């Protein structure tokens, strides 16, 4: 005999039914159920499966009660509840509906003078509530089964059996394409128990569970975990072919994120230390109701500083950028943000180079700029190393032009975005930044000028253009290998958002001439970073010991001018500031006349494209430039 009624055909039949037809089916079922449940209530009360009560009291109650109850149920919204979304709210609603139906029986007893045992309505109410909830839950599970029948489910483990893990497995529901094969939790009091049918295991069972159930994804359900705790947990999975997703953090949940809004673990969540909330006073002091100019506004740091200035209440935001495409992009982003947030701010895009003295001077004067964040710079070490003339011209003389224009036009604060590569530089990029720092230090002590000049020095920014993170991501997508210059090379890392926030706060604390250092946490081995990114991608490291791994790390050797380790201090030690993650130092500069001679020589070498003279001048002891060995 040919079987024509399959799960697929049933699913198709259910899917083509309109909401109206589905409501009519539910109402029809309840019309039939009301008299049956009422009969059952009589039978339970009288201990007789065939009581002769209708001969005495009339059978018309079996017709009247459904006519009263169904409109009550409809008015309460019982038939507007989507079956697959049945939950705690429906249990409360169905209890209310059943209670009102029981009261309707009491009403009929009074008005029609029916001789019905007074406990029958109560038994009916409880029995009908059991019917209506069990019928909807049965329908829910049946529909979930139909929809997921041909769906390939993904087996997952949930790390964390606390309230977040419990809520997560409940929110995912039975109809999703995720099958929870167990929980992992370090609490021995929970191990061995079950949550919604899934057992809780200790962490030493992870490898066995991954292999037994072919687990490819682990869901991290510990929203209160710090970055260091998250990293410790991730390290457990480093040699397993699993991808890790996480629920939102507590701060994100407070802002309205849902617990089931899973996302990939990002390096921002793991590297460095937990960020300190920004000080609102320090954020607003240099920005609120002021005219702000951000140079290099299309870059990683410049664009984020621009965004934060807009949100902090700047009255005017001048975004200065040499790249037309980058300026167009950041202008679009800022204007969209302005409209979304209803912010009253004049956004002014200026296309041009910071080495154009006339343009910079005119911009500061025309827009009455009060605070300048100077982020414009060529920062990629190998490119600047190959193009030292242009690199020095932009980084050094761009700073000189911009800072001088700030001083001449009464700008209140000028903040130079410097780099850890300016400390005992071993490349032209770092040397150009060090000279830029010397220029700012010199201007800060000039007499009869009111501008506060300061600089902020920090390391690498996660995800910025040219950084290792997007490069490694691309190499992983291509199947490897990941190229690392040296197994011992290490760098400091910080997120773009945190670095930009700390730059703004440091600028607000400045008195003039200081160097602010951002607390970058511990430096990180780039090779370890590569391994972490492989693990986060759900892949395994390929080594001589594990030839069947997915991604290989290949060491290529240090590039010209590249250090093994970066530093933030030239000499001495840093002092604390008003912010726990910002330190300050006052480094010795260079005599004004000696700096003037050095700048003039560098200007001559740049003008004449004299690379040899340029490199000789950069060897000045005040710069501290030495070739990396």
């Amino acid at each position: 005999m040919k079987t024509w009624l399959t799960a697929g055909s049933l699913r198709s039949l259910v899917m083509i039914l309109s909401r109206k037809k589905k409501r009519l089916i539910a109402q029809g079922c309840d019309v039939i159920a009301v008299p049956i449940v009422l009969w059952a209530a009589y039978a339970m009360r009288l201990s007789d499966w065939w009581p002769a009560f209708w001969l005495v009291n009339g059978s018309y109650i079996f017709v009247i009660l459904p006519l009263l109850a169904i409109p009550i149920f409809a008015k309460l919204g019982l038939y507007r509840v989507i079956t697959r979304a049945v939950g705690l709210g429906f249990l409360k609603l169905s209890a209310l509906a059943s209670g009102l139906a029981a009261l309707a029986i009491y009403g009929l007893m009074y008005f029609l003078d029916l001789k019905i045992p007074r406990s029958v309505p109560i038994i009916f109410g409880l029995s009908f509530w059991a019917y209506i909830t069990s019928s909807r839950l049965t329908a829910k599970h049946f529909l979930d089964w139909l929809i997921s029948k041909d769906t390939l489910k993904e087996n997952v483990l949930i790390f964390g059996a606390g309230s977040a893990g419990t809520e997560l497995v409940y929110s995912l529901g039975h109809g999703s394409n995720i099958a929870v094969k167990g929980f992992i939790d370090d609490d021995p009091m929970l191990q061995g128990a079950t949550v919604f049918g899934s057992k809780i295991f200790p962490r030493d069972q992870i490898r066995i569970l991954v292999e037994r159930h072919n687990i490819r994804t682990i869901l991290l359900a510990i929203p209160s975990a710090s970055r260091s705790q998250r990293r410790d947990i991730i390290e457990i999975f480093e040699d397993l072919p699993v991808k890790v997703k996480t629920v939102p953090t507590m701060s994100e949940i407070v802002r309205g994120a849902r617990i089931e809004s899973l996302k990939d673990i990002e390096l921002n969540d793991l590297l460095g230390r937990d960020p300190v909330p920004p000080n609102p006073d320090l954020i607003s002091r240099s920005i609120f109701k002021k005219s702000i100019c951000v140079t290099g506004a299309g870059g990683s740091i410049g664009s984020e500083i621009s965004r934060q200035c807009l949100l902090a209440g700047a009255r005017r935001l001048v975004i200065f950028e040499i790249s037309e495409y980058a300026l167009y992009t950041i202008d679009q982003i800022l204007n969209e943000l302005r409209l979304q947030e209803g912010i009253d701010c004049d956004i002014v895009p200026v296309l041009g180079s910071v080495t154009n003295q006339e343009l910079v001077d005119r911009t500061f004067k025309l827009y009455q700029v009060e605070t300048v964040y100077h982020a414009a710079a060529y920062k990629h070490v190998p490119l600047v190393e190959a193009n030292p003339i242009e690199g020095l011209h932009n980084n050094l003389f761009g700073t000189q032009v911009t800072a001088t224009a700030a001083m001449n036009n009464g700008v209140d604060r000028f903040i130079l975005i410097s780099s850890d590569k300016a400390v005992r530089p071993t490349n032209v990029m770092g040397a150009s930044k060090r000279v830029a720092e010397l220029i700012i230090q010199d201007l800060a002590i000039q007499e009869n000028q009111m501008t506060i000049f300061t600089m902020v020095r920090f390391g690498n920014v996660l995800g910025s253009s040219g950084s290792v993170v997007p490069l490694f991501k691309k190499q992983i997508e291509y199947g490897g290998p990941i190229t690392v210059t040296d197994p011992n090379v290490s760098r400091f890392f910080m997120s773009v958002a945190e670095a930009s926030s700390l730059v703004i706060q440091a600028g607000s604390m400045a008195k003039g001439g200081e160097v602010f250092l951002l607390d970058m946490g511990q430096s990180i081995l780039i090779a370890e970073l590569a391994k972490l990114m492989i693990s986060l991608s759900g892949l395994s490291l390929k080594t001589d010991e594990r030839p069947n791994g997915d991604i290989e790390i290949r060491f290529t050797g240090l590039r010209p001018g590249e250090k093994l380790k970066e530093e933030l201090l030239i000499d001495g030690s840093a002092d604390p500031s008003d912010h726990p993650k910002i330190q300050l130092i006052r480094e010795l500069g260079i005599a004004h006349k000696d700096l003037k001679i050095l700048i003039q020589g560098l200007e001559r070498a740049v003008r004449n494209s004299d690379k040899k003279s340029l490199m000789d001048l950069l060897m000045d002891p005040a710069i501290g430039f030495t070739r990396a060995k």
Side-chain angles (χ1 to χ4, degrees):
M1 182 177 176
K2 184 177 180 180
T3 302
W4 61 273
L5 194 61
T6 63
S9 61
L10 275 174
R11 182 171 59 252
S12 300
L13 182 62
V14 170
M15 296 302 289
I16 63 173
L17 288 175
S18 65
R19 287 289 307 147
K20 185 177 181 180
K21 289 181 179 178
K22 291 175 182 177
R23 288 177 185 173
L24 287 174
I25 292 172
Q27 289 172 353
C29 291
D30 291 349
V31 167
I32 297 171
V34 168
I36 292 175
V37 174
L38 181 58
W39 167 79
Y42 270 105
M44 284 187 281
R45 169 63 181 83
L46 301 174
S47 300
D48 185 354
W49 284 107
W50 198 252
F53 60 87
W54 63 84
L55 297 176
V56 178
N57 296 292
S59 59
Y60 49 85
I61 189 173
F62 287 90
V63 176
I64 297 174
L65 184 59
L67 294 177
L68 284 175
I70 300 304
I72 292 173
F73 298 163
K75 189 68 174 176
L76 289 174
L78 202 65
Y79 301 113
R80 291 196 297 270
V81 177
I82 298 173
T83 303
R84 293 189 64 215
V86 166
L88 182 61
F90 180 80
L91 295 180
K92 295 178 181 178
L93 183 61
S94 60
L96 177 60
S98 301
L100 290 176
L103 289 175
I105 298 176
Y106 280 118
L108 291 173
M109 290 168 58
Y110 177 78
F111 289 108
L112 300 179
D113 193 26
L114 297 175
K115 301 296 188 269
I116 299 175
R118 279 178 275 182
S119 60
V120 166
I122 297 173
I123 297 172
F124 169 83
L126 293 173
S127 300
F128 193 79
W129 185 39
Y131 150 75
I132 203 167
T133 53
S134 61
S135 65
R136 270 32 171 206
L137 287 172
T138 301
K140 167 184 167 64
H141 286 284
F142 178 67
L143 289 171
D144 287 343
W145 175 79
L146 276 181
I147 292 170
S148 63
K149 178 65 177 174
D150 298 328
T151 303
L152 184 62
K153 285 184 174 283
E154 179 185 8
N155 294 340
V156 303
L157 292 175
I158 296 180
F159 197 104
S163 58
T166 304
E167 186 178 344
L168 174 61
V169 72
Y170 178 79
S171 300
L172 291 174
H174 298 283
S176 71
N177 62 343
I178 291 176
V180 178
K181 293 300 180 180
F183 286 82
I184 306 298
D185 202 285
D186 292 327
D187 186 349
M189 299 295 291
L190 295 177
Q191 292 164 9
T194 60
V195 177
F196 292 111
S198 299
K199 190 175 178 180
I200 303 173
F201 298 90
R203 70 167 62 187
D204 59 11
Q205 296 292 305
I206 290 176
R207 183 176 295 278
I208 296 172
L209 292 168
V210 166
E211 294 174 354
R212 179 187 301 165
H213 299 293
N214 193 28
I215 302 293
R216 289 292 174 265
T217 304
I218 291 179
L219 309 181
L220 182 57
I222 312 178
S224 59
S226 65
R227 283 182 175 177
S228 58
Q229 288 173 324
R230 286 170 182 252
R231 185 169 183 181
D232 290 342
I233 293 170
I234 294 300
E235 287 176 353
I236 303 170
F237 313 125
E238 272 192 348
D239 60 343
L240 293 174
V242 294
K243 194 168 186 177
V244 182
K245 290 181 177 289
T246 181
V247 301
T249 62
M250 288 305 297
S251 59
E252 290 171 331
I253 291 172
V254 168
R255 293 197 298 268
R258 297 176 64 85
I259 198 77
E260 68 269 25
S261 302
L262 297 168
K263 62 177 184 177
D264 290 336
I265 286 272
E266 297 181 354
L267 288 171
N268 290 13
D269 301 324
L270 303 175
L271 299 181
R273 67 279 171 275
D274 294 314
V276 173
N279 183 326
D281 177 62
L282 293 178
I283 289 288
S284 63
R285 190 181 299 171
S286 303
I287 295 173
F288 186 63
K289 292 188 177 181
K290 293 182 182 291
S291 179
I292 312 296
C293 177
V294 181
T295 68
S300 304
I301 288 292
S303 60
E304 180 60 23
I305 289 178
S306 300
R307 193 187 72 84
Q308 293 191 21
C309 287
L310 181 64
L311 293 174
R315 66 178 175 87
R316 180 182 296 120
L317 183 56
V318 181
I319 46 176
F320 201 111
E321 174 60 53
I322 193 173
S323 165
E324 181 188 24
Y325 176 73
L327 183 63
Y328 169 79
T329 302
I330 186 60
D331 184 48
Q332 291 289 105
I333 291 171
L334 293 175
N335 275 292
E336 287 177 10
L337 180 61
R338 179 177 62 84
L339 292 174
Q340 287 174 4
E341 300 294 330
I343 296 171
D344 182 17
C345 178
D346 182 22
I347 299 174
V348 183
V350 177
L351 181 64
S353 170
V354 288
T355 61
N356 185 334
Q357 187 167 357
E358 182 181 350
L359 174 62
V360 175
D361 195 72
R362 184 172 68 248
T363 299
F364 287 179
K365 184 176 182 180
L366 179 63
Y367 298 111
Q368 299 176 317
V369 172
E370 296 167 89
T371 303
V372 175
Y373 295 100
H374 183 53
Y378 293 144
K379 62 179 184 179
H380 301 303
V381 170
L383 291 181
V384 176
E385 204 67 19
N387 300 272
I389 300 295
E390 189 56 36
L392 201 76
H393 179 236
N394 185 72
N395 293 1
L396 192 161
F397 296 110
T399 300
Q400 184 181 45
V401 165
T402 311
T404 303
M407 182 174 64
N408 293 338
N409 288 280
V411 170
D412 293 335
R413 291 175 185 271
F414 183 98
I415 299 96
L416 168 68
I417 312 297
S418 190
S419 166
D420 55 358
K421 293 172 179 60
V423 178
R424 283 180 278 277
T426 59
N427 50 67
V428 177
M429 183 273 180
S432 68
K433 281 292 192 179
R434 177 58 187 147
V435 180
E437 288 184 351
L438 293 173
I439 291 172
I440 297 303
Q441 286 176 323
D442 182 67
L443 288 174
I445 59 174
Q446 295 297 311
E447 295 181 358
N448 302 320
Q449 65 89 14
M450 302 301 292
T451 303
I452 294 175
F453 287 98
T454 193
M455 62 214 84
V456 183
R457 190 187 288 160
F458 56 93
N460 296 271
V461 173
L462 281 173
S464 65
S465 60
S467 76
V468 295
V469 174
L471 173 62
F472 286 176
K473 282 184 178 179
K474 187 176 293 184
Q475 290 175 335
I476 290 171
E477 288 172 5
Y478 290 156
I482 288 182
T483 54
V484 178
T485 55
D486 189 281
N488 296 313
V489 69
S490 65
R491 294 290 181 266
F492 293 104
F493 285 96
M494 180 178 283
S495 72
V496 176
E498 186 180 8
S500 301
S501 173
L502 291 176
V503 164
I504 292 171
Q505 293 175 84
S508 295
M509 292 188 290
K511 299 293 189 291
E514 314 96 327
V515 179
F516 287 97
L517 310 178
L518 304 189
D519 179 359
M520 304 290 292
Q522 296 296 318
S523 62
I524 296 168
L525 286 170
I526 300 300
E528 291 301 317
L529 176 64
K531 292 177 184 177
L532 189 57
M533 290 189 66
I534 292 171
S535 175
L536 291 178
S537 301
L539 302 171
S540 59
L541 178 64
K542 183 179 181 180
T543 62
D544 292 339
E545 294 77 22
R546 298 181 63 187
N548 295 323
D550 301 304
I551 304 290
E552 175 191 4
I553 296 177
R554 187 172 296 167
F555 298 102
T556 59
L558 291 173
R559 297 171 295 184
E562 188 174 26
K563 290 180 179 180
L564 274 177
K565 302 180 186 298
E566 298 289 2
E567 309 167 89
L568 288 171
L569 275 170
I570 291 179
D571 50 37
S573 59
D575 297 320
S577 71
D578 293 340
H579 193 287
K581 295 300 178 183
I582 302 175
Q583 297 176 306
L584 65 89
I585 53 174
R586 288 192 175 273
E587 294 175 343
L588 293 175
I590 181 174
H592 178 72
K593 63 176 183 178
D594 294 334
L595 180 62
K596 186 175 181 180
I597 293 170
L598 174 62
I599 297 298
Q600 288 174 344
L602 290 170
E603 191 173 19
R604 222 173 11 253
V606 168
R607 189 170 54 248
N608 297 328
S609 297
D610 187 348
K611 183 177 177 180
K612 183 180 183 307
S613 296
L614 182 74
M615 300 306 292
D616 289 341
L617 287 164
L618 290 179
M619 295 295 177
D620 188 292
I623 302 174
F625 178 48
T626 56
R627 278 298 183 190
K629 297 179 181 178

